[in-house]
Amino acid sequence: MPASTPPRPSKSIALAATALCLLAVVAAVVAFVNGNWFGIAWVLLAGVTSNMAWYHWRRLRATQGGEQAQGGGPGAEQPPRDGRGR
């Protein structure tokens, strides 16, 4: 049985989703400037692709060991220093 193909890197998906989001925003602006209400569909597409881009950029940071993706940012709860779980 052939081995399954490795998953596609998140970076290429994130870049594609970001580019598609920007193109959808431009298309929405052009549609609304021309008086075409079809721009609403472009706004919805921009929303979906921005969520996809955000998810894949965050996933990429998490797999690379980014501190913020793991919740180590400012205000994050720190583990106890005495080692007893208190």
Side-chain angles (χ1 to χ4, degrees), residues 29-51:
V29 168
V30 169
F32 285 130
V33 166
N34 289 332
N36 189 351
W37 284 97
F38 189 65
I40 293 173
W42 291 114
V43 170
L44 294 174
L45 181 64
V48 169
T49 55
S50 70
N51 287 342

Side-chain angles (χ1 to χ4, degrees), residues 71-72 76-86:
E77 186 175 324
Q78 299 294 324
R81 294 186 183 250
D82 62 359
R84 293 182 287 183
R86 294 186 200 173

Side-chain angles (χ1 to χ4, degrees), residues 6-86:
R8 190 170 186 185
S10 288
K11 186 172 185 178
S12 63
I13 295 173
L15 284 172
T18 303
L20 187 58
C21 179
L22 292 174
L23 288 173
V25 168
V26 169
V29 168
V30 169
F32 285 130
V33 166
N34 289 332
N36 189 351
W37 284 97
F38 189 65
I40 293 173
W42 291 114
V43 170
L44 294 174
L45 181 64
V48 169
T49 55
S50 70
N51 287 342
M52 288 176 53
W54 175 83
Y55 170 78
H56 286 288
W57 282 120
R58 184 175 170 101
R59 181 175 164 193
L60 180 66
R61 282 190 299 172
T63 58
Q64 291 178 347
E67 183 176 321
Q68 275 192 316
Q70 296 174 359
E77 186 175 324
Q78 299 294 324
R81 294 186 183 250
D82 62 359
R84 293 182 287 183
R86 294 186 200 173

